[in-house]
Amino acid sequence: MTDRPLTLMAVHAHPDDEATGTGGILARYAAEGIRTVLVTCTDGGCGDGPGGVKPGEPGHDSAAVAQMRRRELAASCDVLKISDLEMLDYADSGMIGWPSNDAPGSFWRTPVEEGAARLAELMRHYRPDVVVTYDENGFYGHPDHIQAHRITMAALEMTELTPKVYWTTMPRSAMQRFGETMREFGEDMPEPDPAEAAAMAEIGLPDEEISTWVDTTAFSGQKFDALAAHASQGENIFFLKMGKERFGELMGVETFVRVKDATGADVPENDLFAGLR
């Protein structure tokens, strides 16, 4: 037996990603006495600036945006009761195809081995029992999400640790509901071209391929407030338009695919720590 607490480590790309995909589990497991560690890989400097100014537009200052987003991330961590925040502070690479993808110091341009070595040190320090990150496509193809996946899986190979490892995902059955809800709340939903439609159809997984369904309904209010803490990016967070009640109805379950496991816990499961307690 050991006095070391059970530990969850979530590896995310940008400030606000922790709330979008894993805010529910971070809040839930913190409430259960589990140590929650968030690793944020980039500084978020390609986000919106004050007044909604976009990268590349006059007045956008990526360094100032990064500082603003650091403060927002700290506020989100307070809401979610995250035990430990670690920032790798690579430069935000921006969306796929942006010139910032290849800018010096960008996360996308960073050798995987370099980022993985830094993350492996954090893993050795915190010794997580569960690690959560994105799948190999970064869920929807964002360069920094893909890179976060790559360094996480490489870091695990560099350590002697054998945590349960999960990738975030979404059931395909939920995708239609999301589209309907976005239209209900006035989101402009132009018809995608065939290539975009095909790419969207590949996001998430068929329900039967999802190993882990975690009920976080009781913590959906915290998740909503954590998203709201990232106020500078509110234009991009359509969930905030719903209000807490509707948000909780839509976002009350977080889903994952278990890709590494030494416990033998049965799947499907409803607890990332099944087999560990």
Side-chain angles (χ1 to χ4, degrees):
M1 296 295 291
T2 175
D3 291 332
R4 185 181 65 83
L6 285 172
T7 301
L8 165 66
M9 176 180 281
V11 183
H12 281 293
H14 311 98
D16 77 23
D17 290 332
E18 80 291 340
T20 306
T22 57
I25 59 164
L26 288 166
R28 170 180 163 166
Y29 289 121
E32 293 179 8
I34 288 170
R35 179 170 61 176
T36 51
V37 180
L38 170 63
V39 181
T40 301
C41 296
T42 80
D43 61 10
C46 285
D48 290 356
V53 63
K54 309 294 183 185
E57 292 180 350
H60 188 277
D61 181 340
S62 59
V65 170
Q67 287 302 312
M68 175 177 61
R69 298 195 72 185
R70 181 185 292 269
R71 293 191 295 272
E72 292 175 339
L73 178 60
S76 173
C77 288
D78 285 344
V79 170
L80 297 173
K81 309 301 182 188
I82 290 171
S83 308
D84 299 272
L85 170 63
E86 300 283 354
M87 296 192 70
L88 300 186
D89 257 347
Y90 290 107
D92 189 342
S93 309
M95 300 297 287
I96 190 166
W98 287 13
S100 50
N101 291 175
D102 296 316
S106 75
F107 189 38
W108 181 242
R109 187 172 172 177
T110 299
V112 169
E113 295 77 13
E114 176 190 322
R118 293 180 62 195
L119 182 57
E121 283 302 305
L122 293 175
M123 289 180 174
R124 294 186 189 103
H125 174 73
Y126 288 107
R127 303 188 68 82
D129 301 281
V130 171
V131 173
V132 176
T133 192
Y134 315 100
D135 63 19
E136 59 266 77
N137 190 47
F139 185 62
Y140 69 98
H142 193 297
D144 287 331
H145 290 222
I146 293 170
Q147 189 76 329
H149 162 86
R150 290 173 176 171
I151 73 162
T152 301
M153 303 312 292
L156 288 162
E157 292 297 321
M158 293 178 178
T159 74
E160 78 287 0
L161 305 173
T162 57
K164 297 176 78 177
V165 180
Y166 294 88
W167 297 343
T168 58
T169 192
M170 181 181 294
R172 295 258 171 87
S173 63
M175 294 301 292
Q176 182 178 354
R177 294 198 301 277
F178 274 101
E180 292 169 352
T181 303
M182 289 179 75
R183 285 187 288 272
E184 177 186 345
F185 284 89
E187 288 293 301
D188 184 17
M189 295 281 288
E191 278 297 316
D193 65 33
E196 289 177 339
M200 286 295 292
E202 293 302 312
I203 291 177
L205 287 172
D207 291 33
E208 64 272 15
E209 294 182 22
I210 293 175
S211 66
T212 312
W213 305 69
V214 183
D215 184 355
T216 61
T217 305
F219 303 93
S220 60
Q222 279 177 262
K223 180 171 178 171
F224 185 94
D225 289 343
L227 280 167
H230 296 282
S232 69
Q233 308 307 304
E235 181 182 327
N236 305 315
I237 306 174
F238 95 93
F239 302 113
L240 296 176
K241 297 180 181 180
M242 301 179 189
K244 283 188 178 181
E245 183 175 350
R246 191 66 184 279
F247 178 85
E249 293 171 1
L250 191 67
M251 304 290 286
V253 175
E254 292 181 350
T255 49
F256 306 87
V257 174
R258 193 174 83 189
V259 294
K260 289 183 180 290
D261 171 60
T263 70
D266 292 337
V267 292
E269 61 188 357
N270 60 12
D271 178 10
L272 298 179
F273 288 84
L276 293 169
R277 55 180 178 174

